[in-house]
Amino acid sequence: MAAKTYSISELARELDVTTRTIRFYEEQGMLAPSRRGQERIYTPKDRVTLKLIMRGKRIGFSLAECKALIELYDPQGDNSNQLTNMLGKITERRMQLDQQLLDIQQMQLELDIAEERCRAALQGKSTGQEEDGSV
């Protein structure tokens, strides 16, 4: 029994991406379907690769990071190197997100202060008090 294969439209529909997205990953050397005339024929391995790319993009990995992790995968071998690299990338991504969260919280505090000063200045204007010009 032959292994299941996929057309570009089947793969796009199944993974909820555009055919242009799939062709882009081909151009980047991340997918290499065989051809039957002009038709692209994707294997289950191509399907898994595309799923890994999409997952990596969802969690914020760059395309280069996704590519490097996928290249480390060996379906018949020990994938501890790939998994170790993945754990390192996850740790890096968590640190970036933690920093972004701190930055967002700091911005929110700055916005709160600016809003408070604006409201106080408006309140002072309505009561006839002088403003000092600082917001």
Side-chain angles (χ1 to χ4, degrees):
M1 182 178 193
K4 170 127 176 80
T5 60
Y6 305 87
S7 69
I8 192 169
S9 57
E10 289 172 327
L11 206 53
R13 193 172 32 257
E14 182 180 331
L15 299 178
D16 196 26
V17 297
T18 64
T19 55
R20 177 69 193 112
T21 298
I22 295 172
R23 285 190 299 272
F24 173 77
Y25 294 133
E26 282 180 44
E27 291 166 9
Q28 298 304 307
M30 299 177 79
L31 294 172
S34 58
R35 298 269 184 164
R36 185 171 33 228
Q38 290 295 313
E39 184 183 12
R40 293 168 165 88
I41 308 295
Y42 296 90
T43 65
K45 181 180 185 278
D46 293 321
R47 182 179 167 274
V48 169
T49 297
L50 186 55
K51 285 177 78 171
L52 290 172
I53 294 167
M54 303 311 294
R55 183 177 301 140
K57 295 300 288 172
R58 270 195 315 274
I59 60 177
F61 291 169
S62 70
L63 204 51
E65 289 171 319
C66 291
K67 188 174 184 177
L69 288 168
I70 290 166
E71 287 172 352
L72 291 172
Y73 179 70
D74 177 7
Q76 277 82 40
D78 175 18
N79 286 302
S80 58
N81 192 24
Q82 181 199 35
L83 296 172
T84 300
N85 276 293
M86 179 74 167
L87 286 172
K89 295 289 180 199
I90 289 170
T91 299
E92 287 175 24
R93 186 67 184 133
R94 281 188 195 278
M95 289 170 49
Q96 289 170 347
L97 289 172
D98 287 343
Q99 184 59 55
Q100 287 176 334
L101 185 56
L102 289 173
D103 293 344
I104 289 169
Q105 290 169 338
Q106 183 61 43
M107 274 193 250
Q108 287 176 323
L109 286 173
E110 294 292 332
L111 287 170
D112 290 345
I113 291 167
E115 179 182 31
E116 191 177 299
R117 287 182 178 169
C118 289
R119 291 189 188 285
L122 284 172
Q123 190 68 21
K125 235 182 178 177
S126 67
T127 61
Q129 296 175 353
E130 287 295 313
E131 355 175 340
D132 68 0
S134 64
V135 175

